[in-house]
Amino acid sequence: MPDRELRFRVFRHNPFDPESTPRMVQFQLTETPRMTLFTALTRIREELEPSLQFDIVCRAAVCGSCAILVNGKPRLACRTRIETLPNDITLMPLPFFKLVADLSVDTGQWFRDMGTRVQSWINAREPFDPNAEEARMSNETAAEIYELDRCIECGCCVAACGAAQMNPEYLGAAGMLRIARFLADPRDGRPEAAVFDVVSTEEGIFGCIGLAACEDYCPKDLPLTSRLAYLRRKTALLALRKSSQVEESTVADGYA
Amino acid sequence: MTVRSDLLVIGAGLAGERVAIEAASRGSDVILLSLVPPRRSHSAAAQGGMQAALANMAAGADDSPDVHFVDTVKGSDWGCDQDVARLFTDSAPAAVRETAYWGVPWSRVVPGRREMPDGIWVEESEEKAGLIAARAFGGTQSWRACFASDGTGHSLMYALDNEVLRLGIAVHDRTEAVSLIQDGERCHGALIRDLRTGELRPYLARATVIATGGHGRIYGHSTNGVINDGSGMALALNTGVVPLGNMESVQFHPTGVVPGDILVSEACRGDGGYLLDASGHRFMPDYEPEKKELASRDVVSRCMMRHIRQGFGVESPYGSHLWLDLRHLGKDHIERNLQEVATITRDFLGINAVTELIPVRPTQHYSMGGIRTSIKGEAYGLEGLFAAGEAACWDLHGFNRLGGNSVAETIVAGKIVGASVAEYLESDDSPVRQNAITKLAHESIKQTEARIVKLRNGGSEHALVLRQRVAEVLTEKVGIFRTGSELDEAVMELSELLDRSTRLGLRSSGRGANPELADALRLPGIIRLAITIAQGAQMRTESRGSHYREDYPHRDDVNWLKRTLATWPEAGEGPSVTYEPVRITDLPPGDRGYGEGSKETEGALSDA
């Protein structure tokens, strides 16, 4: 459908500029073959509005920079083909995240904070020994971890999530997936209690209200709902075990 | 507001983060600066692998750091520093194991027999089951490229940034270094522009590391991310005293997709993919009977361009291209080990790699040149300045880098340079001349503020227009095939563009974190970088690795076994070029075993 006249309505606001107010601005472009939203935004900035801010790095859907709301839905700009969109295209920054300016939001800071909250690192049991052979692992286990490690921190799952919009502390599907990634990793030695403390809260797995939009909008097709379900079961089991331990110790205390 | 630390690392990709982790683990107080959140760095886009001689595979059972060393030196066309190559290949195995310890889900050895696409059977041993696996890459004698599916860079980037989180290293993202704060002898940090607010802030540090990656974007058509425009190399060049090494050494990767220039990994050919021409003929064995698709990247890229020049390319609205054929690898293999490739071709080309051919063409990919450093990562010319990764010319790669050696370099050099910076910080007892440094910082702010005022008041030239022309000149005249007359023209036209860049103006207000202002501030440095590349290529009257002169088609070890060093003297109109000898220790110049001038190709590659 090249040659279409495209009308972009784009959100603009710079919170660091005292004179700026939030507004929608219209831009027109003629469609070209194989145009993506990334090439369209680049042309708007180059030809029409050089001050327009948006984020892009890899243009190949691997870095997670360019998620925006396209006609109300979170998507990566780089891999959104214009031919799949109508003539009128409304672009908004992702909700939930702090606005940097225009279409740019601070997903980076949010994900760093999430990473710290869920301890997104290997809690190693032993120090690294540079002279030792690597610890063995089956290729199936490696592939399973890789599958859960593919998140690109674009923020689409959180932006699409009803629970997150009501609860700014919610760790989101991305946070839950990260925990599942370390649970699947035999190299990680975190105690189960530590997992339980993070997961079994309103900010964790019990914040999820089951709308499953996270998986619908994940550009990497990650198994978010199945991992959320897995964590829910795991947490329930841990809770059961914990309560039976509590009962046992109460009983023991009673006899002491 | 001035920010202070022991160590300032500019760039938070794999190299920068590995430096920061090493220095912080040794007790240094570190701040990491990044244009973008660290995990968005272009390192995350690396797909195929990391070379380290673990010798876990049957087709690499005899592998060792020695063999890796020989491959690397031959790959570099004897342009690399052999002490560096030795240190690197010896250090790589422990470095890759350490990343496994940090959580990288490296693919693992599966014992048993399997048939390769070319009909050869391989049998992985029971004894090696579960150790880190490796795949074949170009220009190597062994299967040595360790991989995590085809998201190696992503998995490494996430594992390293997880360590940065664990160690609590300060990361200041959305910041751009505008200039180095230095007095001609010593570097004291950098002036930073905050990309949220537009504020200018000095970051003062006793040591500064530049790890900003490559310059691909200045070529326009490049596999690099849009933030990779060599700004860290330009920071060093703009000091007037720090030389860049071998900037004419630029790699073109055989398989950028057409259109879009997105890379599909060398793992495609490593795992058995073919290159086909318009008639469906697999042409690489005609040129390289021995290595076929797995000669080094410079050689394969030139073969492809020769084949296109001879009229065997596929015509398209985006210019001539060739085909990459993965179909015979099968659905299972593609979906498991080349998952990212399949996604890229599906999402960006609408092509199913399991059943269809992929349009590819050699595309700018990597800079072997960069900020010249010692084996410990110290930049020449300024004390307290270091560099690592693609931004540096450590000189592991000489005139052609092997696939899988760049990811490996970021991790290995990052560790080595991080340790050397920490050592420097411990041993450095020179008096801190606080007043003088504060004055330098103040001057650097005033200088940049004056530039910004001038840009806002507006000249007639626009950064975007000049930048597009820079890209065209580099692509057309400083590309895969080079000639003296075209390089002369390139230097001349780029110099004119540099002159025009003194009259830049803005179309927008230029207030706050304005992206047009960022482009305008960066442009003169980028043009100087482009001139340095073209000038180095113009002066090097031989062909070596990726630097191929049609008017000087042979390697000339008598006159050119040396490294180009280019500084840009203050108020100078062009680079000042000198040379230094290349360190040859164990392996004297000889036959690469592939490419022009090799016995193996027996004249299949004409020098015409």
Side-chain angles (χ1 to χ4, degrees):
Chain A
M1 275 180 290
D3 295 341
R4 280 193 304 168
E5 280 304 313
L6 305 166
R7 282 177 301 277
F8 292 89
R9 290 179 67 241
V10 180
F11 175 85
R12 299 217 61 196
H13 177 48
N14 184 349
F16 296 102
D17 180 352
E19 288 169 34
S20 172
T21 49
R23 61 207 184 276
M24 297 302 289
V25 177
Q26 190 154 316
F27 301 103
Q28 289 206 356
L29 285 181
T30 306
E31 187 173 7
T32 53
R34 288 182 187 263
M35 194 182 216
T36 66
L37 204 45
F38 154 56
T39 47
L41 281 168
T42 306
R43 274 188 56 199
I44 290 175
R45 180 146 85 190
E46 290 180 348
E47 297 166 22
L48 304 170
E49 183 44 76
S51 69
L52 181 68
Q53 284 182 248
F54 56 89
D55 293 322
I56 189 99
V57 178
C58 75
R59 85 246 183 270
V62 295
C63 80
S65 300
C66 64
I68 50 176
L69 281 191
V70 184
N71 291 338
K73 292 173 181 172
R75 310 180 67 159
L76 296 181
C78 69
R79 68 163 211 183
T80 300
R81 297 207 304 275
I82 293 290
E83 64 186 25
T84 64
L85 299 175
N87 297 357
D88 289 291
I89 301 163
T90 301
L91 303 179
M92 301 282 288
L94 287 190
F96 183 79
F97 299 100
K98 190 176 168 200
L99 182 69
V100 174
D102 301 339
L103 300 176
S104 170
V105 295
D106 226 332
T107 45
Q109 287 300 336
W110 187 85
F111 275 96
R112 287 200 94 64
D113 180 49
M114 178 277 277
T116 306
R117 287 167 69 195
V118 306
Q119 300 199 0
S120 170
W121 51 78
I122 296 282
N123 286 263
R125 296 180 179 92
E126 309 273 337
F128 175 66
D129 177 357
N131 300 313
E133 193 178 76
E134 63 272 24
R136 290 178 194 239
M137 180 187 278
S138 78
N139 197 45
E140 286 71 32
T141 305
E144 190 195 342
I145 301 168
Y146 178 76
E147 181 64 14
L148 303 177
D149 202 42
R150 291 195 302 113
C151 169
I152 56 171
E153 301 195 347
C154 63
C156 285
C157 60
V158 186
C161 172
Q165 311 315 312
M166 295 181 291
N167 178 4
E169 298 301 314
Y170 181 44
L171 285 163
M176 295 300 107
L177 183 77
R178 188 62 52 82
I179 291 167
R181 179 248 175 270
F182 285 98
L183 284 176
D185 196 326
R187 295 167 292 198
D188 187 59
R190 73 187 67 202
E192 283 196 328
V195 181
F196 187 82
D197 288 347
V198 180
V199 176
S200 69
T201 61
E202 288 295 308
E203 286 75 50
I205 196 68
F206 299 118
C208 172
I209 51 177
L211 300 176
C214 51
E215 188 157 312
D216 293 346
Y217 291 100
C218 174
K220 302 306 274 188
D221 300 322
L222 291 165
L224 296 172
T225 51
S226 76
R227 291 300 97 183
L228 285 162
Y230 163 76
L231 283 178
R232 208 171 286 125
R233 286 196 307 275
K234 175 107 187 158
T235 316
L237 275 173
L238 283 171
L240 271 174
R241 208 179 304 156
K242 218 173 176 178
S243 66
S244 66
Q245 275 165 4
V246 170
E247 271 167 36
E248 271 167 35
S249 65
T250 318
V251 173
D253 287 347
Y255 276 97
Chain B
M1 189 189 69
T2 303
V3 183
R4 291 169 205 277
S5 60
D6 288 342
L7 172 59
L8 182 67
V9 180
I10 305 172
L14 287 177
E17 289 214 327
R18 188 64 192 84
V19 168
I21 289 167
E22 192 64 23
S25 309
R26 291 165 184 259
S28 308
D29 154 43
V30 186
I31 295 178
L32 261 169
L33 299 180
S34 182
L35 287 172
V36 295
R39 293 174 193 223
R40 317 264 190 245
S41 302
H42 198 61
S43 297
Q47 294 163 11
M50 165 169 177
Q51 295 239 20
L54 297 179
N56 291 337
M57 305 301 282
D62 299 328
D63 200 21
S64 67
D66 280 344
V67 183
H68 189 186
F69 169 83
V70 169
D71 286 347
T72 299
V73 174
K74 286 183 176 177
S76 80
D77 218 352
W78 280 270
C80 74
D81 180 309
Q82 294 192 11
D83 280 343
V84 167
R86 181 65 72 184
L87 175 66
F88 162 77
T89 55
D90 284 348
S91 310
V96 70
R97 287 182 177 127
E98 190 170 28
T99 65
Y101 175 80
W102 287 332
V104 174
W106 295 108
S107 298
R108 300 292 174 140
V109 177
V110 180
R113 267 165 69 82
R114 63 187 166 121
E115 191 182 6
M116 301 306 293
D118 53 7
I120 293 171
W121 285 83
V122 289
E123 179 163 7
E124 302 303 342
S125 77
E126 202 63 53
E127 186 199 331
K128 301 283 187 184
L131 295 176
I132 295 172
R135 59 175 26 141
F137 255 40
T140 63
Q141 299 171 59
S142 302
W143 290 19
R144 188 190 300 124
C146 308
F147 62 103
S149 181
D150 61 351
T152 306
H154 169 88
S155 285
L156 275 166
M157 192 70 245
Y158 273 53
L160 258 64
D161 198 47
N162 286 341
E163 274 303 292
V164 167
L165 278 177
R166 188 180 70 82
L167 294 167
I169 297 171
V171 172
H172 295 196
D173 68 358
R174 295 181 187 265
T175 52
E176 174 165 9
V178 179
S179 62
L180 293 178
I181 297 171
Q182 49 91 21
D183 53 22
E185 284 173 8
R186 192 172 169 142
C187 183
H188 303 286
L191 180 67
I192 299 307
R193 183 164 172 266
D194 186 317
L195 299 180
R196 289 184 177 84
T197 62
E199 184 200 1
L200 295 173
R201 269 198 310 272
Y203 277 65
L204 298 180
R206 292 197 291 132
T208 305
V209 180
I210 296 179
T212 47
H215 62 54
R217 278 283 134 191
I218 69 175
Y219 270 78
H221 287 287
S222 168
T223 63
N224 290 188
V226 299
I227 57 173
N228 300 102
D229 55 11
S231 53
M233 298 171 183
L235 282 179
L237 191 62
N238 288 342
T239 62
V241 290
V242 176
L244 304 184
N246 281 349
M247 289 310 294
E248 66 271 31
S249 180
V250 180
Q251 178 165 85
F252 292 78
H253 194 292
T255 56
V257 303
V258 181
D261 310 315
I262 297 171
L263 180 76
V264 289
S265 172
E266 181 154 319
C268 295
R269 286 170 290 128
D271 287 6
Y274 301 145
L275 290 168
L276 309 182
D277 64 17
S279 59
H281 172 62
R282 183 186 175 195
F283 59 91
M284 275 309 298
D286 303 345
Y287 297 101
E288 288 289 336
E290 173 72 29
K291 286 279 184 185
K292 306 182 182 76
E293 280 85 357
L294 287 177
S296 60
R297 289 177 179 173
D298 57 326
V299 170
V300 177
S301 287
R302 278 197 295 277
C303 292
M304 292 170 75
M305 292 311 291
R306 286 199 178 95
H307 208 63
I308 288 175
R309 279 179 169 189
Q310 287 166 28
F312 299 114
V314 183
E315 297 309 316
S316 86
Y318 312 97
S320 301
H321 63 76
L322 295 156
W323 298 115
L324 174 67
D325 186 3
L326 303 181
R327 297 170 301 179
H328 54 288
L329 302 184
K331 189 168 186 284
D332 286 352
H333 183 89
I334 291 172
E335 287 179 357
R336 170 164 278 216
N337 288 329
L338 298 169
Q339 193 179 144
E340 211 48 68
V341 171
T343 311
I344 284 169
T345 58
R346 183 194 69 204
D347 291 350
F348 297 94
L349 301 172
I351 283 172
N352 179 353
V354 177
T355 56
E356 294 172 88
L357 299 172
I358 305 165
V360 293
R361 178 169 61 208
T363 307
Q364 196 288 345
H365 181 59
Y366 189 83
S367 171
M368 279 72 73
I371 299 163
R372 177 68 184 132
T373 72
S374 71
I375 195 166
K376 294 167 79 178
E378 305 145 313
Y380 288 17
L382 269 187
E383 212 198 313
L385 181 66
F386 298 75
E390 190 177 349
C393 178
W394 191 30
D395 207 357
L396 173 62
H397 311 301
F399 278 80
N400 174 68
R401 171 175 73 72
L402 293 184
N405 260 359
S406 64
V407 169
E409 182 192 12
T410 62
I411 303 296
V412 174
K415 187 179 164 87
I416 291 165
V417 176
S420 104
V421 174
E423 214 171 89
Y424 169 82
L425 287 168
E426 273 169 37
S427 65
D428 170 48
D429 51 6
S430 56
V432 180
R433 296 172 300 119
Q434 208 51 64
N435 290 345
I437 295 170
T438 308
K439 202 171 150 222
L440 279 172
H442 192 65
E443 275 167 20
S444 74
I445 295 178
K446 272 175 49 185
Q447 248 173 27
T448 302
E449 278 174 346
R451 284 183 68 198
I452 292 174
V453 168
K454 193 177 163 208
L455 288 166
R456 281 192 190 136
N457 289 339
S460 53
E461 300 283 0
H462 292 303
L464 178 72
V465 176
L466 299 190
R467 197 175 159 145
Q468 272 170 355
R469 192 56 207 149
V470 170
E472 284 162 14
V473 171
L474 286 176
T475 299
E476 287 163 18
K477 295 177 176 166
V478 200
I480 294 175
F481 293 109
R482 302 168 175 182
T483 65
S485 57
E486 283 185 334
L487 291 167
D488 288 340
E489 289 166 21
V491 172
M492 207 185 307
E493 185 168 356
L494 290 168
S495 303
E496 283 166 20
L497 292 169
L498 182 63
D499 179 54
R500 285 171 64 185
S501 75
T502 59
R503 297 185 291 279
L504 284 181
L506 303 179
R507 288 176 293 172
S508 60
S509 71
R511 286 177 34 203
N514 181 299
E516 189 186 23
L517 178 61
D519 281 343
L521 285 172
R522 227 179 280 135
L523 186 72
I526 282 174
I527 303 180
R528 285 190 199 109
L529 202 60
I531 295 173
T532 307
I533 296 168
Q535 181 78 57
Q538 190 268 350
M539 292 170 76
R540 185 173 285 273
T541 49
E542 66 156 351
S543 289
R544 184 180 297 273
S546 64
H547 171 71
Y548 192 83
R549 287 279 301 255
E550 292 187 282
D551 43 355
Y552 295 92
H554 302 289
R555 195 175 79 201
D556 176 358
D557 292 325
V558 176
N559 296 302
W560 286 105
L561 205 55
K562 54 192 184 184
R563 183 177 300 113
T564 308
L565 296 177
T567 49
W568 195 291
E570 211 174 336
E573 286 180 359
S576 157
V577 176
T578 56
Y579 295 93
E580 66 176 2
V582 172
R583 202 177 342 267
I584 308 279
T585 54
D586 307 12
L587 196 62
D591 187 342
R592 298 173 90 189
Y594 46 79
E596 301 86 345
S598 169
K599 286 197 296 287
E600 305 295 332
T601 59
E602 292 173 340
L605 291 164
S606 72
D607 287 336

